[in-house]
Amino acid sequence: MNNSLKMNSMKKKESFIVGKLIRDHSELLKLMEEIVKLANALRNSVSKAEVSNEFFNVLKDAIYLSFKISSLLAKLDEHMKLEEELIKPYIQDERLKRELDVLIEGTRRFSEIEREISATLENYRKGAIALDDVVKKFVTFVNELQEIVYQHVSVSDRILHTTRKHFT
């Protein structure tokens, strides 16, 4: 009987984690939407900026966008570790296993993007690139992140809903 209680407790915990992972997807999409809006607004304002208060507002927005991207990357990293540890062992379908492996590998690009963002900001700080080039690079990063996040949520939702029966 004690073993049965342990198994039931484990299933409840795993079911909770699966639910959390699914809820994370909506949070990730919401954060990604906010980042896209910030990037678009920044791109529009950088062309109008002069060396004045407007310039510093653009710079402030670029720094805020960098912070939001870092927040997204941290959340995605935590999310992917949970998915890999909890979900992967229960996937029986080889196609779904390959898709999860592709998602996991795709998220490795996140750390590269994070390094590129840091390098871009460092180059700007050193005067090696102009602010409008920083913004252009940030918009490129955002577009790439958006594609990765949307692909992740789409495939991951399918995998989570398929494997959820193991946790209920």
Side-chain angles (χ1 to χ4, degrees):
M1 185 69 176
N2 193 13
N3 200 18
S4 175
L5 287 173
K6 279 185 179 178
M7 290 299 289
N8 193 22
S9 176
M10 277 182 52
K11 281 195 176 245
K12 284 182 181 180
K13 180 181 177 186
E14 290 169 340
S15 179
F16 171 79
I17 293 172
V18 168
K20 180 196 179 320
L21 290 170
I22 290 170
R23 287 186 305 276
D24 277 356
H25 288 164
S26 65
E27 289 178 35
L28 291 169
L29 290 174
K30 196 180 299 183
L31 186 54
M32 190 70 241
E33 186 178 310
E34 182 180 357
I35 289 170
V36 168
K37 286 178 184 175
L38 288 168
N40 288 336
L42 184 59
R43 181 182 49 208
N44 293 335
S45 64
V46 75
S47 61
K48 302 173 196 170
E50 299 172 13
V51 180
S52 65
N53 285 342
E54 187 65 29
F55 172 80
F56 291 106
N57 285 335
V58 170
L59 184 57
K60 176 187 67 153
D61 291 345
I63 292 167
Y64 184 67
L65 177 59
S66 175
F67 164 74
K68 282 298 199 178
I69 291 171
S70 293
S71 298
L72 174 73
L73 295 176
K75 182 140 187 84
L76 279 167
D77 184 52
E78 173 191 330
H79 178 83
M80 282 303 299
K81 285 177 183 170
L82 266 178
E83 282 184 341
E84 188 172 11
E85 291 172 17
L86 178 68
I87 303 303
K88 194 171 183 178
Y90 291 99
I91 298 176
Q92 302 301 318
D93 182 314
E94 287 301 316
R95 183 182 54 82
L96 290 178
K97 281 183 182 179
R98 284 190 303 275
E99 286 183 24
L100 183 60
D101 287 339
V102 167
L103 286 181
I104 291 166
E105 188 57 38
T107 58
R108 301 205 195 306
R109 175 68 180 123
F110 296 149
S111 57
E112 294 171 18
I113 290 172
E114 215 165 10
R115 283 192 299 275
E116 290 174 25
I117 288 170
S118 294
T120 298
L121 291 172
E122 181 64 16
N123 285 335
Y124 175 72
R125 188 187 70 75
K126 291 178 178 177
I129 60 174
L131 183 58
D132 61 332
D133 290 330
V134 171
V135 171
K136 286 176 188 170
K137 285 183 178 237
F138 273 33
V139 169
T140 300
F141 297 146
V142 167
N143 290 337
E144 187 174 352
L145 284 171
Q146 184 178 27
E147 184 178 320
I148 293 169
V149 168
Y150 287 171
Q151 177 192 16
H152 171 88
V153 169
S154 174
V155 173
S156 185
D157 271 349
R158 187 172 60 251
I159 292 170
L160 287 169
H161 288 292
T162 301
T163 59
R164 191 173 208 170
K165 63 184 173 229
H166 294 284
F167 307 109
T168 54

